[in-house]
Amino acid sequence: MAGTMASLSCSWILILTFTLMGMLLNTHVDAQDNRKTYIVYMGNHDQSGDAPKSVLHMSMLQKAIGRERAAGALLHSFKRSINGFVVNINEEEVEKIAAMEGVVSVFLNGKKQLHTTRSWDFVGFPQQVNRATAESDIIIGVLDSGIWPESSSFNASGFGPPPTKWKGACYNITCNNKIIGAKYYRSSKIFGKDDIISPVDSDGHGTHTASTVAGGLVNSASLYGLGMGTARGGVPSARIAVYKICWSDGCHDADILAAFDDAIADGVDIISLSVGDDTPRHYFNDSIAIGAFHAMRYGILTSNSAGNSGPNLATITNFSPWSLSVAASTIDRKFLTKVQLGNNLVFEGVTINTFDLNSNQYPIVYGGDVPNILKGYNRSISRICLEDSLDQNLVKGKIVLCDGFVGAKKVGFASGAAGIVMHSDGAKDTGYSFALPASYIYTQDADNIYGYMTSTKNPTATILKSTDDNNTFAPFVASFSSRGPNPVTLDILKPDIAAPGVDIVAAWSPNAPPSGVKGDNRQVQYNIISGTSMACPHATGLAAYIKSFHPTWSPAAIKSAIMTTATPMRSDLNPDAEFAYGAGHINPIKAVNPGLVYDASESDYVNFLCGQSYSTRLLQIVTGDNSSCVGVTDGNVWDLNYPSFAVSTTSAVSFARVFTRTVTNVGSPKSLYKATVAAPTGLEVQVIPPTLSFNSIGQKLSFKVSVSGSIGSTIASASLVWDDGSYQVRSPITVFLVQ
Ligand SMILES: *[C@@H]1O[C@H](CO)[C@@H](O)[C@H](O)[C@H]1NC(C)=O
Ligand SMILES: *[C@@H]1O[C@H](CO)[C@@H](O)[C@H](O)[C@H]1NC(C)=O
Ligand SMILES: *[C@@H]1O[C@H](CO)[C@@H](O)[C@H](O)[C@H]1NC(C)=O
Ligand SMILES: *[C@@H]1O[C@H](CO)[C@@H](O)[C@H](O)[C@H]1NC(C)=O
Ligand SMILES: *[C@@H]1O[C@H](CO)[C@@H](O)[C@H](O)[C@H]1NC(C)=O
Ligand SMILES: *[C@@H]1O[C@H](CO)[C@@H](O)[C@H](O)[C@H]1NC(C)=O
């Protein structure tokens, strides 16, 4: 079977190995006066003036808080395309600095989290697809946990030297013509025990995402035979520039912003960032939104993971309109893990289980019956099998039945058990890896197992190695994938798009255990993980593919091409509809030829920000030019030239909204497009004019969409398709009730 591409986006939080303990290390709290690390964001880097920015930042700091306090407080100065600095100060001083001229925002140096092989085939993007020779000129900036440079996926054989536009370099590792840049960022200078102080990946995540975007073809890639196929990235000829920003304790804003600053100046074409906050932040209080804004100004699209905090609504954390927000969907493959009892009954669970117990039967016990009393645990804890809560003497060599589902890290080695069986009625769309044989089954099946255990004197069970199975309902959005609506700007639909992010096979770092559990000594070249972290690099790969055919397209045009050609997804499988999948499921072949694009430039976003009541003063600092909100008439959120439409309303029966949009012809010079609207009963959508007649490539035509009427539920999905007979340019229209 052909390629299996790995996309790692499953509940990464569960899988990932960030130790809580190390967390506080980086925020550098001075006990005496509560200094914390803040980022002072000062907008565009102004190239004028002779003094280096760090000198200016220092003198500014001295002015604000005095010489004595300023000494040693300045940790880092951004100096390439972003202006600002990282500083150690207390809350009182934050206010002083925030009040200074030129300061856009001051925010805490918060910590974000990192949010293979069949997936590209599944989205209809086979190995033999038509490719542009310019693909090898495309440089992908991957901001992540670093890279395992020796992976076969990054073999540089056959690659020429980097494109001449490349200004970056490699530090602390030897690069080749595939990995052309590598650098690490750690403003705190404090490292955890497991951190490798170089761009080398000690986590696996960065290797996985980079190879999903741009890994070369590697045959017979698998995790112990699971997901066997050809591992490959979306753009195997593209180059990779690595910016390591994530460490064993997470990914800090100061490092994210410093990496953006470098990546933009180095000359990357697309930025891939599978990292996010737990809570939403306003645009200029968020290092990713700020970085993506500056990248956009330089023609660089930032592709972001939506987050792994689903399925609740409004959990998305990367939602700036100038970036692409990617949800995670399933592919038509899943991994089943069978549990077989001594009485031969078999139950199917879902995990990634590479362990083979050779069908040997083991005694099975219930976690609640074997608490580690000496350590102070009782049955109410041991029933969920938290590491250490089980009595080693009572579980050694046995399979333990556990209530609920806890992450791999929390289960650990389950006190030396031979295996564990977990259960819940929750979603089982994603396979998780453990450090011991494990299966995750439905509660009713667990009840049956429990019944068997109480009905016989010596109950036994075994857990089989996982097998590949067909996920017939795919694609649907994984339950962990963060949902819209956009928590800051309700009327910009987010996420934008869905891409494979469940059970993705891709390259891995042998420095990192495949389960994320310390002490799991398996070393693997390819691993299967899930998360919007894995979906994001699929969208990044597609963006790079589009760019290789259309090198001059703006970030907004590339994003539009991805969104308007997406395959609509089924709302019966995804009750949250567009809040789960945005415009739908990526369709790479169509996306290179979208017919029309909804383009937008920096000034469109500036107008939008004016409409969001950001001041002229602030926007001039951000842009470094004479941008002004005075006289801006199209600053309404409904007039941002976005490829989707969102209407938030407080009344299900009375709303009316008019959107203005402009499309640019990138299809056939002479073409006549007709508007086709699909809308549920009660919802009225009018398009004026209903036809658009183009005479040349690059021609722009505007239209209005009015949405009114009533909706019968909290969310109603409609769509607008511009169709000229050969191109169908589709936008979702989502109306939703805000309680
Ligand atoms: C940005 O962060 C600062 C510091 O944490 C906070 O005081 C401010 O209210 C935030 N601004 C917005 C718009 O959320
Ligand atoms: C890279 O590819 C070349 C040519 O196919 C091969 O000879 C070489 O062994 C590969 N190197 C690695 C590390 O896989
Ligand atoms: C990595 O390279 C940079 C630049 O050459 C150097 O300053 C730094 O000390 C190196 N780090 C390590 C851990 O070797
Ligand atoms: C079991 O332990 C938990 C946590 O220590 C405690 O809150 C609970 O009261 C205990 N239950 C019993 C029945 O002792
Ligand atoms: C999985 O099942 C679906 C629906 O029956 C089918 O269309 C698809 O080709 C199957 N995929 C594989 C890999 O067998
Ligand atoms: C901004 O406006 C001033 C005064 O009108 C003008 O001198 C300057 O060149 C303008 N700057 C830019 C970047 O347009």
Side-chain angles (χ1 to χ4, degrees):
M1 162 170 316
T4 309
M5 166 76 188
S7 143
L8 286 183
S9 109
C10 81
S11 229
W12 187 238
I13 292 161
L14 291 178
I15 292 175
L16 206 54
T17 57
F18 294 152
T19 59
L20 285 172
M21 306 251 311
M23 237 160 67
L24 287 175
L25 281 181
N26 193 23
T27 315
H28 208 143
V29 182
D30 182 327
Q32 294 227 301
D33 68 356
N34 269 322
R35 287 194 194 208
K36 289 180 184 160
T37 307
Y38 288 88
I39 291 160
V40 179
Y41 170 54
M42 300 177 61
N44 179 57
H45 179 84
D46 159 17
Q47 308 287 341
S48 66
D50 297 331
K53 280 289 175 226
S54 54
V55 173
L56 296 176
H57 292 155
M58 192 52 172
S59 80
M60 194 179 143
L61 196 57
Q62 289 174 340
K63 212 160 133 194
I65 66 174
R67 270 176 183 278
E68 207 173 296
R69 295 283 302 171
L74 183 65
L75 299 181
H76 179 77
S77 270
F78 306 117
K79 46 183 172 287
R80 304 184 76 178
S81 50
I82 299 171
N83 188 8
F85 55 94
V86 182
V87 65
N88 231 350
I89 46 177
N90 65 29
E91 267 178 45
E92 221 172 282
E93 291 164 335
V94 167
E95 281 173 31
K96 287 186 186 153
I97 293 171
M100 291 192 83
E101 203 186 315
V103 174
V104 176
S105 58
V106 183
F107 54 94
L108 208 56
N109 178 25
K111 189 173 65 75
K112 300 187 196 294
Q113 274 112 28
L114 285 166
H115 285 227
T116 35
T117 34
R118 173 159 169 77
S119 51
W120 286 115
D121 290 287
F122 181 63
V123 298
F125 193 57
Q127 264 183 47
Q128 300 75 13
V129 75
N130 183 27
R131 292 192 180 272
T133 49
E135 187 175 305
S136 64
D137 290 338
I138 301 282
I139 304 164
I140 319 286
V142 183
L143 278 57
D144 209 300
S145 66
I147 201 159
W148 176 247
E150 284 150 57
S151 169
S152 309
S153 289
F154 309 123
N155 192 331
S157 136
F159 279 79
T164 49
K165 67 182 176 189
W166 176 240
K167 296 192 209 63
C170 274
Y171 299 87
N172 317 102
I173 62 168
T174 309
C175 282
N176 56 30
N177 287 330
K178 178 71 182 176
I179 302 172
I180 61 171
K183 200 173 173 191
Y184 70 81
Y185 298 83
R186 183 69 168 175
S187 66
S188 76
K189 308 276 192 288
I190 301 165
F191 297 89
K193 191 160 70 46
D194 296 325
D195 286 327
I196 300 175
I197 307 175
S198 85
V200 170
D201 185 6
S202 56
D203 182 282
H205 190 272
T207 303
H208 205 276
T209 54
S211 67
T212 300
V213 184
L217 272 60
V218 177
N219 291 326
S220 301
S222 76
L223 175 68
Y224 293 97
L226 300 182
M228 178 72 78
T230 300
R232 63 186 167 101
V235 278
S237 301
R239 322 291 180 129
I240 296 168
V242 177
Y243 300 87
K244 178 170 171 179
I245 51 161
C246 296
W247 302 84
S248 54
D249 63 348
C251 328
H252 286 81
D253 290 311
D255 301 328
I256 293 172
L257 215 40
F260 264 108
D261 197 27
D262 278 347
I264 293 166
D266 288 347
V268 304
D269 292 292
I270 312 268
I271 288 175
S272 196
L273 184 47
S274 290
V275 167
D277 256 304
D278 290 339
T279 47
R281 294 213 229 166
H282 278 261
Y283 300 121
F284 293 133
N285 256 13
D286 176 24
S287 59
I288 295 180
I290 292 170
F293 187 87
H294 286 270
M296 173 274 294
R297 302 184 68 222
Y298 288 84
I300 303 161
L301 176 67
T302 300
S303 170
N304 280 322
S305 48
N308 298 335
S309 310
N312 290 339
L313 292 179
T315 43
I316 187 166
T317 53
N318 287 317
F319 46 76
S320 63
W322 43 85
S323 69
L324 184 67
S325 308
V326 190
S329 55
T330 52
I331 60 171
D332 64 346
R333 182 189 58 205
K334 62 180 175 183
F335 297 97
L336 287 183
T337 309
K338 289 178 179 157
V339 179
Q340 184 168 22
L341 304 182
N343 64 4
N344 280 329
L345 278 180
V346 173
F347 301 98
E348 277 178 354
V350 177
T351 47
I352 311 285
N353 179 37
T354 68
F355 301 101
D356 196 344
L357 295 175
N358 295 312
S359 299
N360 289 329
Q361 290 282 323
Y362 292 80
I364 180 167
V365 294
Y366 172 57
D369 291 339
V370 289
N372 188 347
I373 294 163
L374 286 180
K375 282 214 169 164
Y377 291 104
N378 57 35
R379 61 181 297 122
S380 72
I381 302 290
S382 69
R383 61 188 271 273
I384 60 170
C385 298
L386 279 185
E387 177 152 51
D388 263 12
S389 71
L390 302 171
D391 184 332
Q392 195 165 345
N393 295 321
L394 299 177
V395 301
K396 199 166 171 40
K398 296 178 186 160
I399 287 173
V400 188
L401 177 65
C402 317
D403 290 336
F405 174 84
V406 290
K409 294 252 202 66
K410 290 186 175 156
V411 166
F413 290 91
S415 301
I420 52 167
V421 178
M422 293 159 286
H423 70 89
S424 84
D425 285 326
K428 302 214 170 26
D429 49 29
T430 305
Y432 296 92
S433 267
F434 292 81
L436 73 172
S439 185
Y440 178 36
I441 61 176
Y442 283 100
T443 296
Q444 195 188 330
D445 293 339
D447 289 345
N448 286 327
I449 294 178
Y450 196 73
Y452 156 75
M453 287 165 66
T454 52
S455 73
T456 179
K457 203 151 162 244
N458 295 308
T460 63
T462 192
I463 299 169
L464 305 187
K465 187 180 170 184
S466 299
T467 50
D468 295 17
D469 194 56
N470 188 342
N471 194 346
T472 18
F473 293 110
F476 58 91
V477 173
S479 56
F480 64 74
S481 187
S482 288
R483 269 40 176 197
N486 183 327
V488 166
T489 313
L490 283 171
D491 287 7
I492 296 288
L493 182 65
K494 288 281 174 172
D496 294 307
I497 195 81
V502 174
D503 296 346
I504 302 299
V505 181
W508 197 248
S509 169
N511 293 320
S515 63
V517 174
K518 218 181 222 169
D520 175 354
N521 292 323
R522 289 174 294 171
Q523 287 200 327
V524 300
Q525 298 290 328
Y526 289 84
N527 197 11
I528 302 171
I529 60 172
S530 306
T532 52
S533 282
M534 285 64 250
C536 164
H538 280 94
T540 312
L542 173 52
Y545 182 65
I546 295 171
K547 182 131 185 148
S548 73
F549 286 91
H550 309 287
T552 60
W553 281 14
S554 71
I558 293 174
K559 178 170 149 173
S560 173
I562 293 174
M563 289 171 67
T564 62
T565 56
T567 308
M569 291 179 76
R570 288 169 53 179
S571 59
D572 58 335
L573 295 177
N574 302 277
D576 305 320
E578 286 83 10
F579 290 153
Y581 48 66
H585 199 233
I586 57 165
N587 187 335
I589 300 297
K590 277 194 169 174
V592 234
N593 289 305
L596 304 174
V597 291
Y598 294 77
D599 205 355
S601 63
E602 180 185 352
S603 63
D604 294 294
Y605 298 115
V606 167
N607 290 353
F608 156 79
L609 289 167
C610 289
Q612 298 288 295
S613 61
Y614 286 81
S615 68
T616 295
R617 185 191 73 85
L618 221 54
L619 291 171
Q620 287 188 350
I621 303 171
V622 171
T623 59
D625 61 23
N626 285 349
S627 302
S628 171
C629 291
V630 177
V632 169
T633 53
D634 59 351
N636 279 327
V637 56
W638 312 294
D639 295 335
L640 178 63
N641 206 31
Y642 215 75
S644 61
F645 301 82
V647 179
S648 61
T649 169
T650 50
S651 162
V653 292
S654 160
F655 53 85
R657 196 84 82 227
V658 179
F659 299 85
T660 310
R661 292 290 189 272
T662 300
V663 281
T664 308
N665 183 17
V666 294
S668 327
K670 270 199 180 313
S671 47
L672 179 68
Y673 282 87
K674 290 193 178 119
T676 312
V677 166
T681 327
L683 192 63
E684 226 178 280
V685 179
Q686 271 199 325
V687 184
I688 301 160
T691 58
L692 298 173
S693 172
F694 291 93
N695 296 311
S696 61
I697 299 285
Q699 188 183 352
K700 291 175 187 291
L701 291 174
S702 297
F703 61 93
K704 284 189 192 304
V705 176
S706 73
V707 183
S708 60
S710 63
I711 54 171
S713 53
T714 51
I715 175 166
S717 304
S719 65
L720 162 65
V721 178
W722 286 109
D723 192 340
D724 76 336
S726 49
Y727 298 107
Q728 290 78 39
V729 187
R730 181 181 182 276
S731 295
I733 302 171
T734 305
V735 184
F736 62 103
L737 200 55
V738 184
Q739 269 93 4

